[in-house]
Amino acid sequence: MLGQEGGKKKPLKQPKKQAKEMDEKDKAFKQKQKDDQKKLKELKAKASGKGPLATGGIKKSGKK
């Protein structure tokens, strides 16, 4: 019986991912996504400040 055989084995080290160099298209796309996220967040905040958009319930006509 060897002392090192039992138990968990250490996983192999993964090589570090190299940073991708982004070209102009990628940079523009990322910037557009950030802007869209910011606009969406602002719209959500604006919409949540108001009350309910439509009041539910039964609408009654004037006729009898």
Coordinates of all heavy atoms in Angstrom, one line a residue:
M1 N 0.8 -1.2 0.0 CA 0.0 0.0 0.0 C 0.9 1.2 0.0 O 1.6 1.5 0.9 CB -0.9 0.0 1.2 CG -2.0 -1.0 1.2 SD -3.0 -0.8 2.7 CE -4.2 0.4 2.1
L2 N 0.7 2.0 -1.0 CA 1.4 3.3 -1.1 C 0.5 4.4 -0.6 O -0.7 4.4 -0.8 CB 1.9 3.6 -2.5 CG 2.9 2.6 -3.1 CD1 3.1 2.9 -4.6 CD2 4.2 2.6 -2.3
G3 N 1.1 5.4 0.0 CA 0.3 6.5 0.6 C -0.3 7.4 -0.4 O -1.3 8.1 -0.2
Q4 N 0.3 7.5 -1.6 CA -0.1 8.5 -2.6 C -1.2 7.9 -3.6 O -1.8 8.7 -4.4 CB 1.1 8.9 -3.5 CG 2.1 9.8 -2.7 CD 1.5 11.1 -2.4 OE1 0.7 11.7 -3.1 NE2 1.9 11.6 -1.2
E5 N -1.5 6.7 -3.5 CA -2.5 6.1 -4.5 C -3.9 6.5 -4.2 O -4.7 6.7 -5.2 CB -2.3 4.6 -4.5 CG -1.1 4.1 -5.3 CD -1.1 2.6 -5.5 OE1 -2.2 2.0 -5.6 OE2 0.0 2.1 -5.6
G6 N -4.3 6.6 -3.0 CA -5.7 6.9 -2.7 C -6.0 8.4 -2.8 O -5.1 9.2 -2.9
G7 N -7.3 8.7 -2.7 CA -7.7 10.1 -2.7 C -7.8 10.7 -4.1 O -7.7 10.1 -5.1
K8 N -8.1 12.0 -4.1 CA -8.3 12.7 -5.3 C -7.0 13.0 -6.0 O -6.0 13.2 -5.4 CB -8.9 14.1 -5.1 CG -10.4 14.1 -4.9 CD -10.9 15.6 -4.9 CE -12.4 15.6 -4.9 NZ -12.8 17.0 -4.8
K9 N -7.0 12.9 -7.3 CA -5.8 13.3 -8.1 C -6.0 14.7 -8.5 O -7.1 15.2 -8.8 CB -5.7 12.4 -9.3 CG -5.5 11.0 -9.0 CD -5.2 10.1 -10.1 CE -4.9 8.7 -9.7 NZ -4.2 7.9 -10.7
K10 N -4.9 15.4 -8.6 CA -4.9 16.8 -9.0 C -5.2 16.9 -10.4 O -4.6 16.2 -11.3 CB -3.5 17.5 -8.7 CG -3.2 17.7 -7.2 CD -1.9 18.4 -7.0 CE -1.6 18.6 -5.6 NZ -0.4 19.3 -5.4
P11 N -6.0 17.9 -10.8 CA -6.3 18.1 -12.3 C -5.1 18.7 -12.9 O -4.3 19.4 -12.3 CB -7.5 19.0 -12.3 CG -7.4 19.7 -11.0 CD -6.8 18.8 -10.0
L12 N -4.9 18.4 -14.2 CA -3.8 19.0 -15.0 C -4.1 20.5 -15.1 O -5.2 20.9 -15.2 CB -3.8 18.3 -16.4 CG -3.4 16.8 -16.4 CD1 -3.5 16.3 -17.8 CD2 -2.1 16.6 -15.8
K13 N -3.0 21.2 -15.1 CA -3.1 22.7 -15.2 C -3.5 23.0 -16.7 O -3.0 22.5 -17.6 CB -1.8 23.4 -14.9 CG -1.5 23.4 -13.4 CD -0.3 24.3 -13.2 CE -0.1 24.5 -11.7 NZ 1.0 25.4 -11.4
Q14 N -4.5 23.9 -16.8 CA -4.9 24.3 -18.1 C -4.1 25.5 -18.5 O -3.7 26.4 -17.7 CB -6.4 24.8 -18.1 CG -7.4 23.7 -17.7 CD -7.5 22.7 -18.8 OE1 -7.4 23.0 -20.0 NE2 -7.7 21.4 -18.5
P15 N -3.7 25.6 -19.8 CA -2.9 26.7 -20.2 C -3.8 28.0 -20.2 O -5.0 27.9 -20.4 CB -2.6 26.4 -21.7 CG -3.5 25.4 -22.1 CD -3.9 24.6 -20.9
K16 N -3.2 29.1 -19.8 CA -3.9 30.3 -19.7 C -4.4 30.8 -21.1 O -3.7 30.6 -22.1 CB -3.1 31.4 -19.1 CG -2.7 31.2 -17.6 CD -2.0 32.4 -17.1 CE -1.7 32.2 -15.6 NZ -1.0 33.3 -15.0
K17 N -5.6 31.3 -21.1 CA -6.2 31.8 -22.3 C -5.5 33.1 -22.7 O -5.4 34.0 -21.9 CB -7.7 32.0 -22.2 CG -8.5 30.8 -22.0 CD -9.9 31.1 -22.0 CE -10.7 29.8 -21.7 NZ -12.2 30.0 -21.7
Q18 N -5.1 33.2 -23.9 CA -4.5 34.4 -24.4 C -5.5 35.4 -24.7 O -6.6 35.1 -25.3 CB -3.6 34.2 -25.6 CG -2.4 33.3 -25.3 CD -1.5 33.0 -26.5 OE1 -1.8 33.6 -27.5 NE2 -0.5 32.2 -26.3
A19 N -5.2 36.7 -24.4 CA -6.2 37.7 -24.7 C -6.3 37.9 -26.2 O -5.3 38.0 -26.9 CB -5.7 39.0 -24.0
K20 N -7.5 37.9 -26.7 CA -7.8 38.1 -28.1 C -7.6 39.6 -28.5 O -8.1 40.4 -27.7 CB -9.2 37.6 -28.5 CG -9.3 36.2 -28.7 CD -10.6 35.8 -29.5 CE -11.8 35.7 -28.6 NZ -13.0 35.4 -29.4
E21 N -7.0 39.8 -29.6 CA -6.9 41.2 -30.0 C -8.1 41.5 -30.8 O -8.5 40.7 -31.7 CB -5.6 41.3 -30.9 CG -4.3 41.2 -30.2 CD -3.1 41.5 -31.0 OE1 -3.3 42.2 -32.0 OE2 -2.1 40.9 -30.8
M22 N -8.8 42.5 -30.4 CA -10.1 42.9 -31.0 C -9.8 43.9 -32.1 O -9.1 44.9 -31.9 CB -11.0 43.5 -30.0 CG -11.5 42.5 -29.0 SD -12.9 43.0 -28.0 CE -12.2 44.3 -27.0
D23 N -10.4 43.7 -33.2 CA -10.3 44.6 -34.3 C -11.4 45.7 -34.1 O -12.2 45.7 -33.2 CB -10.4 44.0 -35.7 CG -11.7 43.2 -35.9 OD1 -12.5 43.1 -34.9 OD2 -11.9 42.7 -37.0
E24 N -11.5 46.6 -35.1 CA -12.4 47.7 -34.9 C -13.9 47.3 -34.9 O -14.7 47.8 -34.2 CB -12.2 48.7 -36.1 CG -10.9 49.4 -36.0 CD -10.7 50.2 -34.8 OE1 -11.6 50.9 -34.3 OE2 -9.6 50.1 -34.2
K25 N -14.2 46.2 -35.7 CA -15.6 45.7 -35.7 C -16.0 45.2 -34.3 O -17.1 45.5 -33.8 CB -15.7 44.6 -36.7 CG -15.9 45.0 -38.1 CD -16.2 43.8 -39.0 CE -16.3 44.2 -40.4 NZ -16.6 43.0 -41.3
D26 N -15.1 44.4 -33.7 CA -15.4 43.9 -32.4 C -15.6 45.0 -31.4 O -16.5 45.0 -30.5 CB -14.3 43.0 -31.9 CG -14.3 41.6 -32.7 OD1 -15.3 41.3 -33.3 OD2 -13.2 41.0 -32.7
K27 N -14.7 46.0 -31.4 CA -14.8 47.1 -30.5 C -16.1 47.9 -30.7 O -16.8 48.2 -29.7 CB -13.6 48.1 -30.6 CG -12.3 47.5 -30.1 CD -11.2 48.5 -30.3 CE -9.9 47.9 -29.8 NZ -8.8 48.8 -30.0
A28 N -16.5 48.1 -31.9 CA -17.7 48.8 -32.2 C -18.9 48.0 -31.7 O -19.9 48.6 -31.1 CB -17.9 49.1 -33.7
F29 N -18.9 46.7 -31.9 CA -20.0 45.8 -31.5 C -20.1 45.8 -30.0 O -21.3 46.0 -29.5 CB -19.7 44.4 -32.0 CG -20.8 43.4 -31.6 CD1 -22.1 43.5 -32.2 CD2 -20.6 42.4 -30.7 CE1 -23.1 42.6 -31.9 CE2 -21.6 41.5 -30.3 CZ -22.8 41.6 -30.9
K30 N -19.0 45.7 -29.3 CA -19.1 45.8 -27.8 C -19.6 47.1 -27.3 O -20.4 47.1 -26.4 CB -17.7 45.5 -27.2 CG -17.2 44.1 -27.4 CD -17.7 43.2 -26.4 CE -17.1 41.8 -26.5 NZ -17.7 40.9 -25.6
Q31 N -19.2 48.2 -27.9 CA -19.7 49.5 -27.5 C -21.2 49.6 -27.7 O -21.9 50.2 -26.9 CB -18.9 50.6 -28.3 CG -19.2 52.0 -27.8 CD -18.8 52.2 -26.4 OE1 -17.8 51.7 -25.9 NE2 -19.6 53.0 -25.6
K32 N -21.6 49.1 -28.9 CA -23.1 49.2 -29.2 C -23.9 48.3 -28.2 O -24.9 48.8 -27.7 CB -23.3 48.6 -30.6 CG -24.7 48.8 -31.0 CD -24.9 48.2 -32.4 CE -26.4 48.3 -32.8 NZ -26.8 47.6 -34.0
Q33 N -23.4 47.2 -27.8 CA -24.0 46.4 -26.8 C -24.1 47.1 -25.5 O -25.2 47.1 -24.8 CB -23.3 45.1 -26.6 CG -23.6 44.0 -27.6 CD -23.0 42.7 -27.3 OE1 -21.9 42.6 -26.7 NE2 -23.7 41.6 -27.7
K34 N -23.1 47.8 -25.0 CA -23.1 48.5 -23.8 C -24.1 49.6 -23.8 O -24.8 49.9 -22.9 CB -21.7 49.1 -23.5 CG -20.7 48.1 -23.0 CD -19.4 48.8 -22.6 CE -18.4 47.8 -22.1 NZ -17.1 48.5 -21.8
D35 N -24.1 50.4 -25.0 CA -25.1 51.4 -25.1 C -26.5 50.9 -25.1 O -27.4 51.5 -24.4 CB -24.9 52.2 -26.4 CG -23.5 53.0 -26.4 OD1 -23.0 53.2 -25.4 OD2 -23.1 53.3 -27.6
D36 N -26.8 49.8 -25.7 CA -28.1 49.2 -25.7 C -28.5 48.8 -24.3 O -29.7 49.0 -23.9 CB -28.2 48.0 -26.7 CG -28.1 48.4 -28.1 OD1 -28.3 49.6 -28.4 OD2 -27.9 47.5 -29.0
Q37 N -27.6 48.2 -23.6 CA -27.9 47.8 -22.2 C -28.2 49.0 -21.4 O -29.2 49.0 -20.6 CB -26.7 47.1 -21.6 CG -26.5 45.6 -22.0 CD -27.6 44.8 -21.4 OE1 -28.6 44.4 -22.2 NE2 -27.6 44.5 -20.2
K38 N -27.5 50.1 -21.5 CA -27.7 51.3 -20.8 C -29.1 51.9 -21.1 O -29.8 52.3 -20.2 CB -26.6 52.4 -21.1 CG -26.7 53.6 -20.1 CD -25.6 54.6 -20.5 CE -24.3 54.1 -20.0 NZ -23.2 55.2 -20.2
K39 N -29.4 51.9 -22.4 CA -30.8 52.5 -22.8 C -31.9 51.6 -22.2 O -32.9 52.2 -21.7 CB -30.9 52.5 -24.3 CG -30.1 53.6 -24.9 CD -30.3 53.6 -26.4 CE -29.4 54.6 -27.1 NZ -29.5 54.5 -28.6
L40 N -31.7 50.3 -22.3 CA -32.7 49.4 -21.7 C -32.9 49.6 -20.2 O -34.0 49.6 -19.7 CB -32.3 48.0 -22.1 CG -33.4 46.9 -21.8 CD1 -34.6 47.1 -22.7 CD2 -32.8 45.5 -22.0
K41 N -31.8 49.7 -19.5 CA -31.9 49.9 -18.1 C -32.6 51.2 -17.7 O -33.4 51.3 -16.8 CB -30.4 50.0 -17.5 CG -30.4 49.9 -16.0 CD -28.9 49.8 -15.6 CE -28.8 49.7 -14.1 NZ -27.5 49.6 -13.6
E42 N -32.3 52.3 -18.5 CA -33.0 53.6 -18.3 C -34.5 53.5 -18.5 O -35.3 54.0 -17.8 CB -32.3 54.7 -19.2 CG -30.9 55.1 -18.7 CD -30.3 56.1 -19.7 OE1 -30.9 56.5 -20.7 OE2 -29.1 56.4 -19.5
L43 N -34.8 52.8 -19.6 CA -36.3 52.6 -19.9 C -37.0 51.8 -18.9 O -38.1 52.2 -18.5 CB -36.4 52.0 -21.3 CG -36.1 52.8 -22.5 CD1 -36.2 52.0 -23.8 CD2 -37.0 54.0 -22.6
K44 N -36.3 50.8 -18.3 CA -37.0 50.0 -17.3 C -37.2 50.9 -16.0 O -38.2 50.8 -15.4 CB -36.1 48.8 -16.9 CG -36.2 47.7 -17.9 CD -35.4 46.5 -17.4 CE -35.5 45.3 -18.4 NZ -34.7 44.2 -17.9
A45 N -36.2 51.7 -15.7 CA -36.3 52.5 -14.5 C -37.4 53.6 -14.7 O -38.2 53.8 -13.8 CB -35.0 53.2 -14.2
K46 N -37.5 54.1 -15.9 CA -38.5 55.1 -16.2 C -39.9 54.5 -16.1 O -40.9 55.1 -15.6 CB -38.3 55.7 -17.6 CG -39.0 56.9 -17.9 CD -38.6 57.5 -19.3 CE -39.2 58.8 -19.6 NZ -38.8 59.3 -20.9
A47 N -40.1 53.3 -16.7 CA -41.4 52.6 -16.7 C -41.8 52.1 -15.3 O -43.0 52.1 -15.0 CB -41.3 51.4 -17.7
S48 N -40.8 51.8 -14.5 CA -41.2 51.3 -13.2 C -41.7 52.4 -12.2 O -42.4 52.1 -11.3 CB -40.0 50.5 -12.5 OG -39.0 51.4 -12.2
G49 N -41.4 53.6 -12.6 CA -41.8 54.7 -11.7 C -43.2 55.0 -11.8 O -43.9 55.6 -10.9
K50 N -43.9 54.7 -12.9 CA -45.3 55.0 -13.2 C -46.1 53.9 -12.6 O -45.7 52.8 -12.2 CB -45.5 55.1 -14.7 CG -44.8 56.3 -15.3 CD -45.1 56.3 -16.8 CE -44.4 57.5 -17.4 NZ -44.6 57.5 -18.9
G51 N -47.4 54.2 -12.5 CA -48.4 53.2 -12.0 C -48.7 52.2 -13.1 O -48.1 52.1 -14.1
P52 N -49.8 51.4 -12.8 CA -50.1 50.4 -13.8 C -50.6 51.0 -15.1 O -51.2 52.1 -15.1 CB -51.3 49.7 -13.2 CG -51.8 50.6 -12.1 CD -50.6 51.4 -11.7
L53 N -50.2 50.4 -16.2 CA -50.6 51.0 -17.5 C -52.0 50.9 -17.8 O -52.6 51.8 -18.3 CB -49.7 50.3 -18.6 CG -48.2 50.5 -18.5 CD1 -47.5 49.6 -19.6 CD2 -47.9 51.9 -18.7
A54 N -52.6 49.7 -17.6 CA -54.1 49.5 -17.9 C -54.7 49.0 -16.6 O -54.2 48.1 -16.0 CB -54.2 48.6 -19.0
T55 N -55.8 49.6 -16.3 CA -56.6 49.1 -15.1 C -57.4 48.0 -15.6 O -58.1 48.0 -16.6 CB -57.5 50.2 -14.5 OG1 -58.3 50.7 -15.5 CG2 -56.6 51.3 -14.0
G56 N -57.4 46.9 -14.9 CA -58.1 45.7 -15.2 C -59.6 45.8 -14.8 O -60.0 46.8 -14.2
G57 N -60.4 44.8 -15.0 CA -61.7 44.8 -14.6 C -62.7 44.7 -15.8 O -62.3 44.7 -16.9
I58 N -64.0 44.7 -15.4 CA -65.0 44.6 -16.4 C -65.4 46.0 -16.9 O -65.8 46.8 -16.0 CB -66.2 43.8 -15.9 CG1 -65.8 42.4 -15.4 CG2 -67.3 43.7 -16.9 CD1 -66.8 41.7 -14.7
K59 N -65.4 46.2 -18.2 CA -65.9 47.5 -18.7 C -67.4 47.3 -19.0 O -67.8 46.4 -19.6 CB -65.1 47.9 -19.9 CG -63.7 48.2 -19.7 CD -63.0 48.7 -20.9 CE -61.6 49.1 -20.6 NZ -60.9 49.7 -21.7
K60 N -68.2 48.3 -18.5 CA -69.6 48.2 -18.7 C -70.0 49.3 -19.8 O -69.5 50.4 -19.8 CB -70.4 48.6 -17.4 CG -70.1 47.6 -16.3 CD -70.9 47.9 -15.0 CE -70.6 46.9 -14.0 NZ -71.3 47.3 -12.7
S61 N -70.9 48.8 -20.6 CA -71.3 49.8 -21.6 C -72.5 50.6 -21.1 O -73.1 50.3 -20.1 CB -71.8 49.0 -22.9 OG -73.0 48.2 -22.5
G62 N -72.8 51.7 -21.7 CA -73.8 52.6 -21.3 C -75.2 52.0 -21.6 O -76.2 52.5 -21.0
K63 N -75.3 51.0 -22.4 CA -76.6 50.5 -22.8 C -77.2 49.6 -21.8 O -76.4 48.9 -21.1 CB -76.5 49.7 -24.2 CG -76.1 50.6 -25.3 CD -75.9 49.8 -26.5 CE -75.4 50.6 -27.7 NZ -75.2 49.8 -28.9
K64 N -78.5 49.5 -21.7 CA -79.2 48.6 -20.8 C -80.2 47.7 -21.5 O -80.8 48.1 -22.4 CB -79.9 49.3 -19.6 CG -78.9 49.8 -18.6 CD -79.6 50.2 -17.4 CE -78.6 50.6 -16.3 NZ -79.3 51.0 -15.1

